[in-house]
Amino acid sequence: RKEVEQDPGPFNVPEGATVAFNCTYSNSASQSFFWYRQDCRKEPKLLMSVYSSGNEDGRFTAQLNRASQYISLLIRDSKLSDSATYLCVVNPSSGYSTLTFGKGTMLLVSP
Amino acid sequence: DGGITQSPKYLFRKEGQNVTLSCEQNLNHDAMYWYRQDPGQGLRLIYYSQIVNDFQKGDIAEGYSVSREKKESFPLTVTSAQKNPTAFYLCASSTSPSGSLKTQYFGPGTRLLVL
């Protein structure tokens, strides 16, 4: 089983739609979780951290389900500028370690 | 402005040539990382450094070398032993390599092409 798995998409949605992505991770001891956004031919940028209780930042909501080992990202009222690839990122431990990146889910928002 | 800079933006390598990619940060971060990204693929870790004068191999270190002589700088050399170097190279840094947060911030990347 891959460490971090995401549906590559693309997810094609119209402006104003609500879209959700899921990501599953294999290491049950994983400590922290993030969503990054990567525009075409650009570097990844932190979108939001994912907290155990779930968290919201404007139109974006992230949820964590430790029992099922998945995290989700919900985008409400999609904008054209939301078109990007969304990377699921997992920190496998609290000690010295490196982050594990998923391959990303591509979102295309159309007028 | 604080941030991470990478240079050059594009780099062309001839067969058998070693090339060095620059990465500098003024965020006072302890940890620095090098990743490689191929089209349609996720980020793969090449090398990382937790402190000055120390670094560890990542998942795909063969054909690459690094140094960490200064906290601000973590250059990556792509040697002639790397047979398929064409990729997008990303440098990142974080405040600490340990701890529960460990958020990484990325530079703008260098695209390496083989002539």
Side-chain angles (χ1 to χ4, degrees), chain A residues 3-4 25 27-34 66 71 88-101, chain B residues 96-104:
Chain A
E3 293 187 63
V4 177
Y25 59 94
N27 185 346
S28 59
S30 294
Q31 293 291 313
S32 52
F33 310 87
F34 311 90
R66 285 191 182 274
I71 67 174
C88 173
V89 184
V90 175
N91 173 13
S93 84
S94 60
Y96 285 98
S97 66
T98 58
L99 299 178
T100 302
F101 288 78
Chain B
S96 170
S98 66
S100 61
L101 293 180
K102 207 183 299 181
T103 306
Q104 292 184 16

Side-chain angles (χ1 to χ4, degrees), chain B residues 7 18 35 37 51 57 74 89:
Chain B
S7 62
N18 292 355
Y35 294 90
Q37 188 176 37
I51 55 173
K57 293 182 178 180
F74 191 40
Y89 290 86

Side-chain angles (χ1 to χ4, degrees), chain B residues 14-28:
Chain B
K14 296 178 181 178
E15 293 286 342
Q17 186 181 40
N18 292 355
V19 292
T20 298
L21 284 61
S22 168
C23 177
E24 304 277 333
Q25 55 98 359
N26 60 5
L27 300 168
N28 200 32

Side-chain angles (χ1 to χ4, degrees), chain B residues 16-17 43 45 47 56 64 68 71 74 80 94 100-101 107:
Chain B
Q17 186 181 40
L43 276 68
L45 183 65
Y47 269 97
Q56 288 79 40
Y64 300 97
R68 186 84 187 280
K71 187 175 184 178
F74 191 40
S80 56
S94 66
S100 61
L101 293 180

Side-chain angles (χ1 to χ4, degrees), chain B residues 75-89:
Chain B
L76 173 74
T77 297
V78 183
T79 74
S80 56
Q82 172 49 243
K83 298 306 179 187
N84 185 24
T86 296
F88 187 37
Y89 290 86

